[in-house]
Amino acid sequence: MAVPPPKRQPPRPGARRPASEQPEKSSFLSNPLFWVFFAFLGLIAAYLLQQRLAEMNQRPAPVAEKTPVVEKPPVVIETTKVEPPPVVVTPPPVIAPPKPEPIKPPVIVTEELPKFNRFYKTVSTRLVPAHLGDPKAPMKKEIQAAHDLRASPNAPLPVASGDGAKRATLRKTVEEYWAKIDPDRCLPHPDAEAFPGKVLEPADRVITTVNIPVNRSRWHSTGTYAAPGERITFRIPASDADMGLVARIGCHNDDITSDFAIKRENWHRFPVITNTVALNKRVIELANPFGGPIYIEMPGNDKNGKSRDQVRIEIVGAVEAPNFTLGKTTRTEWENSRLAPAPWAEMICDKMVVSVPAKHIRELSYAEATELMKTWTETVEACDWLAAWKDRRSAERIVSDAEISIGWMHSGYPIKCYLDSAKDSVNVTKLRKDGNWGFFHELGHNHQSSLWTYAGYTEVTCNLFALYCMEKIAGKKLGDGHGEDMAAMAAEMALDPKAHGASAFHLLAQYYHPVKQFGWISLQQTFAELSDRKDIKKADGMVKKNLGIAGREVEKQQEAIDKEKRQLELKIKTAVREKKDADKTAAETRLAEIFKEEKKIKEALGALSKHDSDERKKDIFVRTWSQEAGANLGPYFANFGWPYTDSMKTMLTPLKPWMPANFPPTKPGAKPAKSTLFGSKNEAMAGKDEAQGDNQTTNAQ
């Protein structure tokens, strides 16, 4: 049985409690009121600290509504309600900088960089200001006269074609202006902001290091831009100062005071807005009153025959320009680069460089930029293939401009077009869907060979490349690229080779049926074969000799007329659309005059060349194409007045004669012609031995 514990007796009066039972002494830390008071003090201190930081930063605390800026120090307003202050991240107090010390010139970085890579360092703008001297000092009269010469896209300068004296004065003014340009005292031209455009400020001026490959000639993009009037410094190793390198500011290198352009009635920009300087010293300076993209021109091989892979050049004082290089620019780099402050951008691949106003690529995604330059790569490769070019040492270039020297577009390096076409050059969706006849046409000019281009065919054989690119790039059917009915025009030419003044498209139609029947590969192999033929090169030499200087001038006149015809045709279409009858009548009147001028030019060309050399080149062309196609094309081209000589008949006897169905077209009342795709076997075999002998003779030539 459990025994209950004894009951605890209450202490006797006066007795002392054990230590374990003594009550704890009270402390102020255990008092809740103390901690409430401490938290209140902390809130007050935090609020006062926030106000002090805002005062030191000299800017008002954020408020819900905009308040006018008061120059006096902010006033702290006492409030009874205490709230936790907002978390504000403030920079360190602004302290007036000490007096600047002289800045030493930047030192070239010596480490090696990958090919085409750029290295940027921000540089103080004090290194590269426009050296204007005393702003109150009068400008030199040559500078003042040029600055008074205002020509911009929105305010063109009228230059009447009949006022030769005024044009001569303007040309002299331009020449004197550029002769007086001094990097240490260069003034921005007043129209530079209108064209090429202004740099978006604020923009860092940078030190850029570029590596230029020696084995690729022509212009090399640096990804930088010179602001109007600002001095740019180029630094190269002393050992490379004799390589023939050239620095260029500006891609708009058309001189619109040229003999062709001088006839224009309006100038939409200053006549000359690019300049260059030879990099023949360790340090070279250059400035451009209009600004522009910066390039390094490489002659291909240095003049002293030195062997090296690349040249390292440092560029001081430029701003970064939007720049995309296929296969090199990353997605992140493009997202940053497309927003660079320069007004002009460049889209680059190994085969093509496209220069456009930066506004056209600001919204271009990385995927679109990649697909765009892949498309241009395919386009140039298509032209290279058709022309049977075995290698390419430099890229093609397209530059849009406010004014070009001749035509709506023109070939050369770079290919030039007006600003209206700039957006089309970087619109990959439109290129893939519709193609672009103008760009393909000019690329064709750059691939033309005089070995298979005859008098009056300058604007014809280039369009073979346009047709091919329309088919290859845009998926158009043969002949649909420009909207003409090639079959119908070929029929008209067969009935009358001189019909329609033998226009460029009617002459182009001569090639339609053979290409359709035997494919582009037969024509490509023909071009490849002709490029290696000594006999046709000899014939081409005869043409050049017979034509001489006078003949070349006549050919230039022909090219100018062809360009003007296309412009007038466009003007007529525009006038019809806008219902401007006066403009339509004027254009039609001028077009009629051009046809008369063209007739005289063709007669002059015929008299100069006597068609001896051209006839021989046509003869060899038809023979070669027939051999590549495996069919005798002589009778077909004879419909257009091409030679079908006895020697050609003999040589092509082993090949079966070919003619498209119902070609040439029958005249009214005549029976339809039967297709003569191939002749009889006996005809094909006749004269085989003789033809083989002729072949051996020709190959030996």
Side-chain angles (χ1 to χ4, degrees):
M1 172 172 185
V3 180
K7 293 183 179 179
R8 180 176 294 186
Q9 298 295 323
R12 295 189 302 273
R16 187 177 179 89
R17 291 184 179 180
S20 59
E21 297 181 5
Q22 293 292 327
E24 295 181 2
K25 295 181 180 180
S26 64
S27 172
F28 72 93
L29 295 177
S30 61
N31 194 333
L33 294 177
F34 168 77
W35 292 107
V36 172
F37 179 74
F38 186 83
F40 178 77
L41 291 178
L43 290 174
I44 294 294
Y47 175 77
L48 294 176
L49 179 62
Q50 187 270 336
Q51 294 293 328
R52 178 59 178 167
L53 290 175
E55 183 180 352
M56 292 176 65
N57 199 37
Q58 295 185 354
R59 48 183 183 184
V63 293
E65 298 181 358
K66 244 182 181 180
T67 57
V69 178
V70 183
E71 295 183 357
K72 296 180 179 179
V75 179
V76 179
I77 302 174
E78 299 288 340
T79 59
T80 56
K81 185 178 180 180
V82 179
E83 297 180 355
V87 179
V88 179
V89 180
T90 58
V94 177
I95 303 173
K99 187 175 180 181
E101 298 179 359
I103 300 177
K104 298 180 180 180
V107 180
I108 293 180
V109 183
T110 57
E111 75 270 16
E112 291 296 324
L113 297 176
K115 216 174 196 180
F116 295 113
N117 276 9
R118 301 191 302 274
F119 174 73
Y120 291 121
K121 289 193 299 185
T122 302
V123 61
S124 171
T125 55
R126 291 189 293 271
L127 285 177
V128 289
H131 290 250
L132 307 182
D134 185 2
K136 298 182 179 180
M139 288 187 289
K140 295 181 179 180
K141 63 179 182 179
E142 299 88 352
I143 306 297
Q144 185 64 59
H147 281 206
D148 292 340
L149 181 60
R150 306 293 298 277
S152 65
N154 298 326
L157 175 69
V159 281
S161 57
D163 193 345
K166 180 181 178 181
R167 287 176 175 271
T169 301
L170 292 178
R171 176 180 286 188
K172 185 178 179 182
T173 298
V174 173
E175 292 174 351
E176 290 179 343
Y177 179 57
W178 284 101
K180 299 293 183 180
I181 295 297
D182 183 357
D184 287 331
R185 184 177 170 83
C186 184
L187 295 167
H189 192 280
D191 274 344
E193 184 172 331
F195 188 84
K198 65 177 181 178
V199 173
L200 301 178
E201 298 291 354
D204 288 335
R205 274 53 176 174
V206 297
I207 302 174
T208 309
T209 302
V210 294
N211 291 315
I212 306 299
V214 176
N215 62 346
R216 294 178 69 88
S217 58
R218 294 183 166 176
W219 303 0
H220 287 271
S221 304
T222 65
T224 60
Y225 193 92
E230 293 192 4
R231 180 178 61 180
I232 305 298
T233 302
F234 300 88
R235 303 176 184 273
I236 64 174
S239 58
D240 295 330
D242 58 351
M243 290 189 62
L245 299 173
V246 173
R248 168 180 291 278
I249 297 180
C251 57
H252 305 95
N253 63 333
D254 261 9
D255 180 0
I256 59 176
T257 68
S258 64
D259 292 336
F260 288 135
I262 199 73
K263 299 177 183 179
R264 294 188 180 277
E265 295 183 356
N266 294 287
W267 286 347
H268 294 84
R269 66 161 168 83
F270 196 82
V272 178
I273 62 172
T274 64
N275 60 341
T276 60
V277 65
L279 298 178
N280 53 10
K281 294 189 294 184
R282 174 70 177 82
V283 179
I284 294 290
E285 294 178 340
L286 184 63
N288 188 326
F290 298 89
I294 301 174
Y295 305 94
I296 303 298
E297 295 185 36
M298 172 60 66
N301 295 306
D302 62 278
K303 62 184 182 180
N304 291 331
K306 297 177 181 179
S307 177
R308 58 174 57 81
D309 294 331
Q310 59 188 18
V311 177
R312 187 181 183 88
I313 300 175
E314 188 183 63
I315 304 170
V316 181
V319 300
E320 187 177 4
N323 182 283
F324 177 89
T325 302
L326 182 65
K328 296 182 174 69
T329 304
T330 65
R331 186 183 299 274
T332 302
E333 289 172 341
W334 174 240
E335 294 297 329
N336 294 326
S337 181
R338 67 179 181 174
L339 303 178
W344 281 79
E346 289 198 324
M347 311 299 290
I348 303 171
C349 62
D350 286 342
K351 303 293 192 303
M352 174 66 79
V353 181
V354 183
S355 299
V356 295
K359 64 181 181 181
H360 294 307
I361 58 84
R362 299 285 192 199
E363 302 298 324
L364 207 65
S365 69
Y366 181 78
E368 290 171 328
T370 301
E371 184 61 26
L372 171 69
M373 299 320 297
K374 284 183 178 180
T375 300
W376 277 118
T377 298
E378 292 178 25
T379 302
V380 178
E381 286 178 345
C383 293
D384 290 353
W385 176 84
L386 184 58
W389 285 13
K390 298 178 181 179
D391 57 4
R392 167 180 289 276
R393 297 195 61 183
S394 61
E396 301 283 348
R397 280 185 178 270
I398 295 176
V399 172
S400 53
D401 199 336
E403 189 81 78
I404 62 179
S405 59
I406 189 171
W408 185 248
M409 293 184 182
H410 72 73
S411 58
Y413 186 85
I415 293 170
K416 298 293 176 56
C417 65
Y418 277 90
L419 292 174
D420 293 344
S421 300
K423 58 182 181 296
D424 294 334
S425 67
V426 291
N427 188 336
V428 65
T429 303
K430 192 172 182 180
L431 277 174
R432 285 294 188 184
K433 181 182 178 182
D434 303 324
N436 191 297
W437 186 273
F439 291 133
F440 300 163
H441 171 94
E442 304 305 342
L443 277 171
H445 274 306
N446 285 359
H447 286 80
Q448 262 178 326
S449 171
S450 58
L451 301 176
W452 34 264
T453 300
Y454 324 110
Y457 278 67
T458 302
E459 299 297 327
V460 178
T461 56
C462 63
N463 282 332
L464 291 169
F465 296 87
L467 281 176
Y468 182 61
C469 287
M470 279 293 188
E471 184 177 332
K472 180 75 172 177
I473 303 302
K476 303 291 185 181
K477 293 182 179 179
L478 178 64
D480 290 349
H482 202 267
E484 288 79 8
D485 189 339
M486 290 288 175
M489 288 191 290
E492 292 176 351
M493 288 291 292
L495 293 174
D496 182 8
K498 297 182 179 179
H500 305 278
S503 71
F505 281 103
H506 280 80
L507 293 175
L508 178 65
Q510 299 170 131
Y511 299 84
Y512 170 76
H513 287 293
V515 170
K516 184 178 181 181
Q517 177 67 34
F518 304 105
W520 287 105
I521 183 66
S522 65
L523 184 59
Q524 189 268 350
Q525 291 173 341
T526 299
F527 289 159
E529 178 68 19
L530 293 178
S531 64
D532 296 329
R533 292 277 293 270
K534 294 181 180 180
D535 52 352
I536 195 167
K537 290 182 179 181
K538 183 179 179 181
D540 182 54
M542 293 172 61
V543 170
K544 294 178 180 178
K545 183 177 180 181
N546 290 338
L547 290 178
I549 297 176
R552 286 194 291 273
E553 289 299 319
V554 174
E555 285 184 328
K556 289 180 180 180
Q557 293 177 27
Q558 177 66 55
E559 292 178 7
I561 283 178
D562 289 334
K563 299 278 188 182
E564 190 176 355
K565 281 196 308 187
R566 291 196 297 272
Q567 287 181 320
L568 288 169
E569 291 168 355
L570 180 63
K571 194 172 183 179
I572 291 172
K573 291 180 181 178
T574 304
V576 170
R577 184 174 64 252
E578 298 178 356
K579 298 181 179 180
K580 296 182 178 180
D581 295 336
D583 292 350
K584 180 176 177 294
T585 303
E588 289 176 339
T589 302
R590 175 56 186 156
L591 198 59
E593 295 174 354
I594 284 178
F595 279 122
K596 295 179 181 179
E597 294 177 11
E598 192 172 34
K599 184 177 179 181
K600 295 179 180 179
I601 288 173
K602 289 183 177 180
E603 291 174 354
L605 272 177
L608 286 166
S609 65
K610 298 180 181 180
H611 294 286
D612 291 339
S613 299
D614 271 2
E615 293 294 297
R616 178 167 172 77
K617 288 201 297 183
K618 285 182 177 180
D619 183 297
I620 297 174
F621 177 81
V622 173
R623 294 185 193 187
T624 307
W625 200 355
S626 296
Q627 292 167 348
E628 298 297 338
N632 183 358
L633 305 183
Y636 170 77
F637 280 102
N639 288 290
F640 309 110
W642 285 49
Y644 190 36
T645 60
D646 292 339
S647 62
M648 185 190 299
K649 294 176 182 177
T650 302
M651 179 174 289
L652 299 181
T653 297
L655 301 176
K656 300 173 182 180
W658 170 82
M659 195 74 68
N662 298 320
F663 195 91
T666 57
K667 296 181 180 179
K671 294 181 180 181
K674 294 181 180 181
S675 174
T676 55
L677 181 60
F678 296 108
S680 67
K681 183 176 180 181
N682 291 335
E683 290 175 345
M685 296 300 296
K688 180 178 179 181
D689 295 337
E690 183 179 357
Q692 287 177 343
D694 278 351
N695 269 321
Q696 293 174 358
T697 303
T698 303
N699 291 333
Q701 291 178 351

